[in-house]
Structures are given as C-alpha cells and as structure tokens.
Amino acid sequence: MAAGSCLLLLLLLPTLVITSHSPPGCKIRVTSKGLDLVKQEGLRFVEQELQNITMPDLHGKEGQFHYNITQVKVMDLQLAFSDLHFQPQQHLVFNISNASISLRFRRQLLYWFFYDIGSINASADGVHIHTVLQLAKDEAGRLKISNMTCNASIARMHAGFSGTLRKVYEFLSTFIVTGMRFLLSQQICPSLEHASLVLLNSLLDTVPVRNYVDEHIGIDYSLLRDPAVSTDTLDLDFKGMFFPRAREDQELENHAVEPVIKETERMVYVAFSEYFFDSAMHAYFQAGVLAIELQGEKVPKDLEVLLRATFFGTIFMQSPAVDAPLRLVLQVSAPPRCIIKPTGTSVSVSAFLNISLVPPGRPAVQLSSMAMETKLSAKVFLQGKALRVQLDLRRFRIYSKQSALESLALFSLQAPLKTLLQLTIMPIINERTKKGVQIPLPEGMDFTKEVVTNHAGFLTVGADLHFSKGLREVIEKYRPAPTTHTYPSSWPAEPTMDPRQL
C-alpha cells in the first residue's frame, strides 16, 4: 500500500511542479551588453568606496625602534583591469586585477634617542580583488544581493621615506610596510561588502514592487522567483498584475501565454503578456470607472437631433417631456480583453448605451438600451520608464437588446455614434492612458532607442540603457546614516601590534 502511494506521488510530482510555476505577466532580460554599461558606472562607484576606506592606527616596536602610524588615507586608485560578468545560476562576478592604491599617512618614529614625525607616501601594487554577488528574491518580492564572497590580496607594497634618517627608515620599514599591507588587504572586502549588501541594495529598493498607478488602480511588480542567470543573460519574472485600490487583495489568475525572450542583441528586453494588459482593464472595470455620462449640452447637437428623430414616437408618447434633456450613459459590461498577434495589438470591448430623457423634477424616462461591440487598435510604446498605450477605434457595432426590429431601426445611428466615440470618448480614454505605468527599473536608469515587437500572445520591447542619474547620486540619496569608528591616535605606552605576527 505504501509502495503504491509513493508511486502515485512520483507520477504526480511533474504535474505539481508545472502547476506551481506561475507564468509572469512581465519579464525583463538584461544582456551582457547591458551589464557592460552597468560595469562602467559601477566601477566609478567602487573607486569612490575604496577611496573612503578607513584604516585603524598601526603601532609597534622592534628592539629600540618604535613606530606609530596614524591618519591613513587613500590618495589615488588605478583600477586598470576589471571585469563584470554573469555566472549561472544566480550570480554576478566582479574582478579587479593588477590595480594600484596610493596611500598617505602620518608617522611618529622613535629610534634610540632619535624622534621623528612627518608624512609617508606608500603604494600598494598588484592588488587583486575577486567578488561574487548572489542575487535572490527577498520576502517582499524585490531583487536583492543576498550574499557576497570576496577575496583581496596585495602583491607588494612600498613606502617612501625622506630626511636625514632615510636609510635607517628604509631598513626598518619592513615592519611598517608589512603591517600596512595586512591592514589594507583586510579593509578592502568589508568596504565592498558594505557597498554591496547595504548601498547597492538601497538602490534596488528604489525599484517599484507594489505601488499605485493612479487613484483607481495599482500594480504588483513582485518577483515570482529568484532570477535566472546564464553566461549571457539575467532573466527576471515579475507578477505584472494590476489591482483595484479598493480591493488590493484581489487576485486575477493568469491563463495567458508566458512571454519568451530569445534575443540578446540589445542591452535589455522587456516582455508583456496579454495578462498584463487584461489585468489592468479588469482592475479598472472592478473600480467602476469604465463608464461615462453625457447629458444636456454635452450631447453633440447633430446626434441629439438624430436621436430625437429616431425615437420621435416614443418621445411623443412621453409628452409633455418632449423637450426634456437627453442623457447618454455608456457603460462597459465586462472587462475588456487584449489580443496580441504578430500583426498588431487590439482590445475587444463590450458595452451598453442607455438613452434617456431627463425631465426636470421628474424621473428619467429610458428610450432605449442598446448593446455595443467595439474593437480598438492599440499602439504600445515605451518612453523613459513609462509604458504607454494609444488606442484607436477600429470596428463598431450596435444592436438592440429588445428586438431585431429595433436593431434595424438603430442602423442609422451606427455612424453618428461611432463619430461620438472617436471625437468624445476616445480622447478621454487616451488621456487616462497618457501617463502610462512605470517599468520596474532602479531610479536613475532609463530606456533609450526602444523597439516594440509583437508575438503570439505577448510583445517585447528591446532597448538600450541610459543613466539619467549617476549611481553615486542615487545611492547618496538613499544611503543609510553612516556609523563612525574612531581609532586611538595617541602614542601608546605599550606596542599594540607586533609586525612579526602579520
């Protein structure tokens, strides 16, 4: 019996795995070309972080030689050879090779009865730094650097002395140089670890995860799973679901085709499935804003004359309300649906139009309730970080919900109502979609040279990246309050470090 249960579980396991894989509504791919741009900006940031290294004072003695090294500062860095690349499964690798670091520090030296103070210039050459950043999805669904491993080494270090005791100092400088090399190499990785796990993660915090689009709806950009990293690409699967602000817990199941990105020529690709757009229209429908009312002077005069002529008999029967204002109420009857094909993108809308007379001080008198079916063509484009949609009326049909005879009578209203939609309703809709929705990129990073390509069930936007703000500028804006460390600078009564232990 137990064996049979285990066999059944093994047979069902592939199905359970497939079921648990939620398709993304939005997908982003960063290619090696995009990573090269990030490396250029990131390298400047690393240089600035290494220049801010804070080192403790160095004290020691060797026989009658006492030394005290304080106020160590990094003066210059030369990071000639660097590399940033993807490493499967979830990693970024950053290497710096054969770099040099110039230092300046204050010296206090005592040799027998000779006492000397001043500054020393030193240089660390053959600096090698190897860091591996692990990327993962955090509890909020945001991309984060979850772990970092770092190794740093210095091949050689040289300190330059001046003055009458230069030869003596050069002979005894081995103790100072050895200690300084050890201290410097020990400070590199903690500095980069703080830069990655704290500062760069504060930059990733600027990526929108769940935010409001307008007063009616919001969008959920939480990651569905950890990023998938290959040797050439980094793929991020986002939920990409809109929700009504009045019911933020509402979930819309995704039955759309999963976007598939195969291209690698551009720096970044963003893919949107039909679910992305369907959830937006479903959220607006649930929010109850897919309706418009025209009454009195807002009804175009030509249309009003035609409507009164069409419903003359009904209006006459409702006398003395013949001269009452007309009211048109256009209401979407079901969430619109988006259809993406290689030939283009369209939106199907079902609605009803109620036509009534509104006599002053009396109940409204309904003249007709007609059904409408429209198909809109949608032009999707990306500008900066905003995804925008421009809609245009392509097909339009009205019919009566009461009888085929009334549908025939409404045929003369087909053209005027289509004109009403084109001139009055469509500008209102496009004004709402003009603002667009933000794509989940960090602050200071934008798209350029965007190209939209349609596929069966989804569309992709290929683009290059551009830093509208420097990485340092954004990080400084969100940098956590620094923690200061103070190191003793007074001359110690006893040595605090033995260079022979280095």
PDB file of all heavy atoms in Angstrom, residues 139-168:
ATOM      1  N   GLU A 139      11.661  38.630   0.683  1.00  0.00           N
ATOM      2  CA  GLU A 139      10.296  38.307   1.106  1.00  0.00           C
ATOM      3  C   GLU A 139       9.260  39.220   0.456  1.00  0.00           C
ATOM      4  O   GLU A 139       8.121  38.823   0.254  1.00  0.00           O
ATOM      5  CB  GLU A 139      10.192  38.393   2.632  1.00  0.00           C
ATOM      6  CG  GLU A 139      11.005  37.328   3.359  1.00  0.00           C
ATOM      7  CD  GLU A 139      10.847  37.432   4.860  1.00  0.00           C
ATOM      8  OE1 GLU A 139      10.152  38.364   5.321  1.00  0.00           O
ATOM      9  OE2 GLU A 139      11.417  36.586   5.567  1.00  0.00           O
ATOM     10  N   ALA A 140       9.661  40.450   0.145  1.00  0.00           N
ATOM     11  CA  ALA A 140       8.725  41.391  -0.482  1.00  0.00           C
ATOM     12  C   ALA A 140       8.632  41.194  -1.990  1.00  0.00           C
ATOM     13  O   ALA A 140       7.833  41.871  -2.649  1.00  0.00           O
ATOM     14  CB  ALA A 140       9.145  42.835  -0.177  1.00  0.00           C
ATOM     15  N   GLY A 141       9.437  40.276  -2.543  1.00  0.00           N
ATOM     16  CA  GLY A 141       9.423  40.063  -3.988  1.00  0.00           C
ATOM     17  C   GLY A 141      10.338  41.009  -4.727  1.00  0.00           C
ATOM     18  O   GLY A 141      10.212  41.178  -5.942  1.00  0.00           O
ATOM     19  N   ARG A 142      11.298  41.605  -4.038  1.00  0.00           N
ATOM     20  CA  ARG A 142      12.231  42.553  -4.653  1.00  0.00           C
ATOM     21  C   ARG A 142      13.573  41.863  -4.897  1.00  0.00           C
ATOM     22  O   ARG A 142      14.014  41.021  -4.123  1.00  0.00           O
ATOM     23  CB  ARG A 142      12.412  43.769  -3.753  1.00  0.00           C
ATOM     24  CG  ARG A 142      13.357  44.810  -4.294  1.00  0.00           C
ATOM     25  CD  ARG A 142      13.464  46.008  -3.373  1.00  0.00           C
ATOM     26  NE  ARG A 142      12.395  46.962  -3.608  1.00  0.00           N
ATOM     27  CZ  ARG A 142      11.409  47.199  -2.756  1.00  0.00           C
ATOM     28  NH1 ARG A 142      11.359  46.553  -1.615  1.00  0.00           N
ATOM     29  NH2 ARG A 142      10.471  48.085  -3.042  1.00  0.00           N
ATOM     30  N   LEU A 143      14.232  42.240  -5.978  1.00  0.00           N
ATOM     31  CA  LEU A 143      15.557  41.715  -6.269  1.00  0.00           C
ATOM     32  C   LEU A 143      16.555  42.288  -5.271  1.00  0.00           C
ATOM     33  O   LEU A 143      16.595  43.494  -5.048  1.00  0.00           O
ATOM     34  CB  LEU A 143      15.974  42.080  -7.697  1.00  0.00           C
ATOM     35  CG  LEU A 143      17.376  41.632  -8.121  1.00  0.00           C
ATOM     36  CD1 LEU A 143      17.459  40.116  -8.189  1.00  0.00           C
ATOM     37  CD2 LEU A 143      17.747  42.246  -9.476  1.00  0.00           C
ATOM     38  N   LYS A 144      17.361  41.415  -4.674  1.00  0.00           N
ATOM     39  CA  LYS A 144      18.346  41.841  -3.701  1.00  0.00           C
ATOM     40  C   LYS A 144      19.654  41.069  -3.887  1.00  0.00           C
ATOM     41  O   LYS A 144      19.681  39.976  -4.449  1.00  0.00           O
ATOM     42  CB  LYS A 144      17.831  41.602  -2.276  1.00  0.00           C
ATOM     43  CG  LYS A 144      16.828  42.647  -1.795  1.00  0.00           C
ATOM     44  CD  LYS A 144      17.449  44.031  -1.753  1.00  0.00           C
ATOM     45  CE  LYS A 144      16.496  45.086  -1.235  1.00  0.00           C
ATOM     46  NZ  LYS A 144      16.219  44.962   0.195  1.00  0.00           N
ATOM     47  N   ILE A 145      20.735  41.687  -3.419  1.00  0.00           N
ATOM     48  CA  ILE A 145      22.011  40.974  -3.288  1.00  0.00           C
ATOM     49  C   ILE A 145      21.950  40.264  -1.946  1.00  0.00           C
ATOM     50  O   ILE A 145      22.036  40.892  -0.889  1.00  0.00           O
ATOM     51  CB  ILE A 145      23.197  41.942  -3.354  1.00  0.00           C
ATOM     52  CG1 ILE A 145      23.196  42.703  -4.683  1.00  0.00           C
ATOM     53  CG2 ILE A 145      24.514  41.197  -3.175  1.00  0.00           C
ATOM     54  CD1 ILE A 145      24.238  43.802  -4.769  1.00  0.00           C
ATOM     55  N   SER A 146      21.775  38.957  -1.964  1.00  0.00           N
ATOM     56  CA  SER A 146      21.545  38.207  -0.728  1.00  0.00           C
ATOM     57  C   SER A 146      22.836  37.788  -0.047  1.00  0.00           C
ATOM     58  O   SER A 146      22.858  37.555   1.165  1.00  0.00           O
ATOM     59  CB  SER A 146      20.700  36.964  -1.027  1.00  0.00           C
ATOM     60  OG  SER A 146      21.355  36.115  -1.959  1.00  0.00           O
ATOM     61  N   ASN A 147      23.915  37.691  -0.800  1.00  0.00           N
ATOM     62  CA  ASN A 147      25.183  37.250  -0.206  1.00  0.00           C
ATOM     63  C   ASN A 147      26.335  37.728  -1.078  1.00  0.00           C
ATOM     64  O   ASN A 147      26.158  37.995  -2.272  1.00  0.00           O
ATOM     65  CB  ASN A 147      25.213  35.732  -0.070  1.00  0.00           C
ATOM     66  CG  ASN A 147      26.355  35.250   0.799  1.00  0.00           C
ATOM     67  OD1 ASN A 147      26.833  35.992   1.650  1.00  0.00           O
ATOM     68  ND2 ASN A 147      26.806  34.036   0.574  1.00  0.00           N
ATOM     69  N   MET A 148      27.502  37.820  -0.471  1.00  0.00           N
ATOM     70  CA  MET A 148      28.692  38.240  -1.198  1.00  0.00           C
ATOM     71  C   MET A 148      29.898  37.509  -0.647  1.00  0.00           C
ATOM     72  O   MET A 148      30.075  37.384   0.567  1.00  0.00           O
ATOM     73  CB  MET A 148      28.902  39.753  -1.070  1.00  0.00           C
ATOM     74  CG  MET A 148      30.221  40.230  -1.657  1.00  0.00           C
ATOM     75  SD  MET A 148      30.523  41.968  -1.320  1.00  0.00           S
ATOM     76  CE  MET A 148      32.197  42.121  -1.935  1.00  0.00           C
ATOM     77  N   THR A 149      30.729  37.017  -1.533  1.00  0.00           N
ATOM     78  CA  THR A 149      32.025  36.457  -1.145  1.00  0.00           C
ATOM     79  C   THR A 149      33.110  37.311  -1.781  1.00  0.00           C
ATOM     80  O   THR A 149      32.963  37.788  -2.905  1.00  0.00           O
ATOM     81  CB  THR A 149      32.177  35.000  -1.599  1.00  0.00           C
ATOM     82  OG1 THR A 149      32.013  34.923  -3.030  1.00  0.00           O
ATOM     83  CG2 THR A 149      31.118  34.120  -0.938  1.00  0.00           C
ATOM     84  N   CYS A 150      34.191  37.512  -1.054  1.00  0.00           N
ATOM     85  CA  CYS A 150      35.228  38.435  -1.509  1.00  0.00           C
ATOM     86  C   CYS A 150      36.593  37.921  -1.094  1.00  0.00           C
ATOM     87  O   CYS A 150      36.768  37.408   0.025  1.00  0.00           O
ATOM     88  CB  CYS A 150      34.982  39.828  -0.926  1.00  0.00           C
ATOM     89  SG  CYS A 150      36.270  41.045  -1.295  1.00  0.00           S
ATOM     90  N   ASN A 151      37.555  38.054  -1.984  1.00  0.00           N
ATOM     91  CA  ASN A 151      38.955  37.773  -1.692  1.00  0.00           C
ATOM     92  C   ASN A 151      39.793  38.918  -2.235  1.00  0.00           C
ATOM     93  O   ASN A 151      39.617  39.331  -3.386  1.00  0.00           O
ATOM     94  CB  ASN A 151      39.403  36.456  -2.339  1.00  0.00           C
ATOM     95  CG  ASN A 151      38.714  35.252  -1.720  1.00  0.00           C
ATOM     96  OD1 ASN A 151      38.906  34.979  -0.547  1.00  0.00           O
ATOM     97  ND2 ASN A 151      37.905  34.550  -2.503  1.00  0.00           N
ATOM     98  N   ALA A 152      40.686  39.437  -1.407  1.00  0.00           N
ATOM     99  CA  ALA A 152      41.553  40.545  -1.814  1.00  0.00           C
ATOM    100  C   ALA A 152      42.990  40.231  -1.412  1.00  0.00           C
ATOM    101  O   ALA A 152      43.245  39.696  -0.327  1.00  0.00           O
ATOM    102  CB  ALA A 152      41.094  41.853  -1.175  1.00  0.00           C
ATOM    103  N   SER A 153      43.906  40.565  -2.277  1.00  0.00           N
ATOM    104  CA  SER A 153      45.326  40.348  -1.986  1.00  0.00           C
ATOM    105  C   SER A 153      46.147  41.496  -2.573  1.00  0.00           C
ATOM    106  O   SER A 153      45.746  42.123  -3.549  1.00  0.00           O
ATOM    107  CB  SER A 153      45.800  39.010  -2.569  1.00  0.00           C
ATOM    108  OG  SER A 153      45.680  39.019  -3.990  1.00  0.00           O
ATOM    109  N   ILE A 154      47.308  41.752  -1.940  1.00  0.00           N
ATOM    110  CA  ILE A 154      48.238  42.778  -2.401  1.00  0.00           C
ATOM    111  C   ILE A 154      49.591  42.113  -2.622  1.00  0.00           C
ATOM    112  O   ILE A 154      50.165  41.525  -1.701  1.00  0.00           O
ATOM    113  CB  ILE A 154      48.355  43.913  -1.367  1.00  0.00           C
ATOM    114  CG1 ILE A 154      46.990  44.568  -1.144  1.00  0.00           C
ATOM    115  CG2 ILE A 154      49.375  44.959  -1.815  1.00  0.00           C
ATOM    116  CD1 ILE A 154      46.984  45.602  -0.028  1.00  0.00           C
ATOM    117  N   ALA A 155      50.096  42.195  -3.847  1.00  0.00           N
ATOM    118  CA  ALA A 155      51.350  41.519  -4.175  1.00  0.00           C
ATOM    119  C   ALA A 155      52.549  42.179  -3.508  1.00  0.00           C
ATOM    120  O   ALA A 155      53.442  41.500  -2.986  1.00  0.00           O
ATOM    121  CB  ALA A 155      51.537  41.473  -5.699  1.00  0.00           C
ATOM    122  N   ARG A 156      52.596  43.483  -3.484  1.00  0.00           N
ATOM    123  CA  ARG A 156      53.761  44.180  -2.924  1.00  0.00           C
ATOM    124  C   ARG A 156      53.344  45.578  -2.487  1.00  0.00           C
ATOM    125  O   ARG A 156      52.385  46.143  -2.989  1.00  0.00           O
ATOM    126  CB  ARG A 156      54.889  44.268  -3.953  1.00  0.00           C
ATOM    127  CG  ARG A 156      54.465  44.896  -5.266  1.00  0.00           C
ATOM    128  CD  ARG A 156      55.437  44.613  -6.401  1.00  0.00           C
ATOM    129  NE  ARG A 156      54.907  45.106  -7.669  1.00  0.00           N
ATOM    130  CZ  ARG A 156      54.069  44.413  -8.437  1.00  0.00           C
ATOM    131  NH1 ARG A 156      53.696  43.201  -8.053  1.00  0.00           N
ATOM    132  NH2 ARG A 156      53.632  44.910  -9.569  1.00  0.00           N
ATOM    133  N   MET A 157      54.126  46.113  -1.558  1.00  0.00           N
ATOM    134  CA  MET A 157      53.856  47.441  -1.046  1.00  0.00           C
ATOM    135  C   MET A 157      55.175  48.147  -0.792  1.00  0.00           C
ATOM    136  O   MET A 157      56.143  47.537  -0.312  1.00  0.00           O
ATOM    137  CB  MET A 157      53.022  47.367   0.239  1.00  0.00           C
ATOM    138  CG  MET A 157      52.455  48.694   0.663  1.00  0.00           C
ATOM    139  SD  MET A 157      51.105  48.494   1.839  1.00  0.00           S
ATOM    140  CE  MET A 157      50.556  50.199   1.984  1.00  0.00           C
ATOM    141  N   HIS A 158      55.194  49.434  -1.104  1.00  0.00           N
ATOM    142  CA  HIS A 158      56.424  50.217  -0.978  1.00  0.00           C
ATOM    143  C   HIS A 158      56.106  51.517  -0.260  1.00  0.00           C
ATOM    144  O   HIS A 158      55.094  52.156  -0.537  1.00  0.00           O
ATOM    145  CB  HIS A 158      57.018  50.531  -2.357  1.00  0.00           C
ATOM    146  CG  HIS A 158      58.162  51.495  -2.305  1.00  0.00           C
ATOM    147  ND1 HIS A 158      59.414  51.135  -1.852  1.00  0.00           N
ATOM    148  CD2 HIS A 158      58.233  52.816  -2.642  1.00  0.00           C
ATOM    149  CE1 HIS A 158      60.213  52.184  -1.915  1.00  0.00           C
ATOM    150  NE2 HIS A 158      59.526  53.220  -2.398  1.00  0.00           N
ATOM    151  N   ALA A 159      56.982  51.907   0.694  1.00  0.00           N
ATOM    152  CA  ALA A 159      56.836  53.166   1.422  1.00  0.00           C
ATOM    153  C   ALA A 159      58.063  54.025   1.160  1.00  0.00           C
ATOM    154  O   ALA A 159      59.210  53.544   1.234  1.00  0.00           O
ATOM    155  CB  ALA A 159      56.667  52.909   2.914  1.00  0.00           C
ATOM    156  N   GLY A 160      57.828  55.289   0.852  1.00  0.00           N
ATOM    157  CA  GLY A 160      58.926  56.212   0.557  1.00  0.00           C
ATOM    158  C   GLY A 160      59.216  57.112   1.742  1.00  0.00           C
ATOM    159  O   GLY A 160      58.313  57.761   2.263  1.00  0.00           O
ATOM    160  N   PHE A 161      60.482  57.153   2.182  1.00  0.00           N
ATOM    161  CA  PHE A 161      60.895  57.989   3.303  1.00  0.00           C
ATOM    162  C   PHE A 161      61.807  59.099   2.796  1.00  0.00           C
ATOM    163  O   PHE A 161      62.468  58.982   1.770  1.00  0.00           O
ATOM    164  CB  PHE A 161      61.644  57.150   4.354  1.00  0.00           C
ATOM    165  CG  PHE A 161      60.777  56.129   5.033  1.00  0.00           C
ATOM    166  CD1 PHE A 161      60.624  54.854   4.490  1.00  0.00           C
ATOM    167  CD2 PHE A 161      60.120  56.433   6.209  1.00  0.00           C
ATOM    168  CE1 PHE A 161      59.836  53.917   5.111  1.00  0.00           C
ATOM    169  CE2 PHE A 161      59.334  55.492   6.845  1.00  0.00           C
ATOM    170  CZ  PHE A 161      59.183  54.226   6.295  1.00  0.00           C
ATOM    171  N   SER A 162      61.856  60.184   3.569  1.00  0.00           N
ATOM    172  CA  SER A 162      62.755  61.289   3.264  1.00  0.00           C
ATOM    173  C   SER A 162      63.379  61.782   4.561  1.00  0.00           C
ATOM    174  O   SER A 162      62.930  61.428   5.661  1.00  0.00           O
ATOM    175  CB  SER A 162      61.994  62.425   2.569  1.00  0.00           C
ATOM    176  OG  SER A 162      60.966  62.911   3.415  1.00  0.00           O
ATOM    177  N   GLY A 163      64.385  62.597   4.458  1.00  0.00           N
ATOM    178  CA  GLY A 163      65.031  63.144   5.641  1.00  0.00           C
ATOM    179  C   GLY A 163      66.392  62.527   5.887  1.00  0.00           C
ATOM    180  O   GLY A 163      66.867  61.641   5.153  1.00  0.00           O
ATOM    181  N   THR A 164      67.057  62.971   6.958  1.00  0.00           N
ATOM    182  CA  THR A 164      68.431  62.516   7.255  1.00  0.00           C
ATOM    183  C   THR A 164      68.471  61.055   7.670  1.00  0.00           C
ATOM    184  O   THR A 164      69.502  60.388   7.499  1.00  0.00           O
ATOM    185  CB  THR A 164      69.017  63.391   8.377  1.00  0.00           C
ATOM    186  OG1 THR A 164      68.154  63.333   9.524  1.00  0.00           O
ATOM    187  CG2 THR A 164      69.156  64.840   7.923  1.00  0.00           C
ATOM    188  N   LEU A 165      67.359  60.530   8.201  1.00  0.00           N
ATOM    189  CA  LEU A 165      67.337  59.134   8.638  1.00  0.00           C
ATOM    190  C   LEU A 165      66.694  58.221   7.597  1.00  0.00           C
ATOM    191  O   LEU A 165      66.207  57.145   7.930  1.00  0.00           O
ATOM    192  CB  LEU A 165      66.585  59.012   9.968  1.00  0.00           C
ATOM    193  CG  LEU A 165      67.186  59.787  11.157  1.00  0.00           C
ATOM    194  CD1 LEU A 165      66.313  59.627  12.383  1.00  0.00           C
ATOM    195  CD2 LEU A 165      68.612  59.329  11.443  1.00  0.00           C
ATOM    196  N   ARG A 166      66.681  58.666   6.332  1.00  0.00           N
ATOM    197  CA  ARG A 166      66.003  57.903   5.288  1.00  0.00           C
ATOM    198  C   ARG A 166      66.531  56.483   5.179  1.00  0.00           C
ATOM    199  O   ARG A 166      65.777  55.528   5.078  1.00  0.00           O
ATOM    200  CB  ARG A 166      66.150  58.634   3.951  1.00  0.00           C
ATOM    201  CG  ARG A 166      65.475  57.920   2.783  1.00  0.00           C
ATOM    202  CD  ARG A 166      65.478  58.803   1.547  1.00  0.00           C
ATOM    203  NE  ARG A 166      66.811  59.203   1.177  1.00  0.00           N
ATOM    204  CZ  ARG A 166      67.615  58.467   0.373  1.00  0.00           C
ATOM    205  NH1 ARG A 166      67.177  57.319  -0.094  1.00  0.00           N
ATOM    206  NH2 ARG A 166      68.828  58.887   0.059  1.00  0.00           N
ATOM    207  N   LYS A 167      67.882  56.308   5.218  1.00  0.00           N
ATOM    208  CA  LYS A 167      68.461  54.979   5.074  1.00  0.00           C
ATOM    209  C   LYS A 167      68.069  54.077   6.230  1.00  0.00           C
ATOM    210  O   LYS A 167      67.791  52.887   6.053  1.00  0.00           O
ATOM    211  CB  LYS A 167      69.981  55.090   4.984  1.00  0.00           C
ATOM    212  CG  LYS A 167      70.477  55.782   3.724  1.00  0.00           C
ATOM    213  CD  LYS A 167      70.122  54.977   2.481  1.00  0.00           C
ATOM    214  CE  LYS A 167      70.675  55.632   1.217  1.00  0.00           C
ATOM    215  NZ  LYS A 167      70.278  54.875  -0.003  1.00  0.00           N
ATOM    216  N   VAL A 168      68.055  54.653   7.429  1.00  0.00           N
ATOM    217  CA  VAL A 168      67.647  53.855   8.589  1.00  0.00           C
ATOM    218  C   VAL A 168      66.182  53.443   8.468  1.00  0.00           C
ATOM    219  O   VAL A 168      65.807  52.295   8.717  1.00  0.00           O
ATOM    220  CB  VAL A 168      67.872  54.661   9.888  1.00  0.00           C
ATOM    221  CG1 VAL A 168      67.373  53.875  11.108  1.00  0.00           C
ATOM    222  CG2 VAL A 168      69.332  55.012  10.045  1.00  0.00           C
TER     223      VAL A 168
END
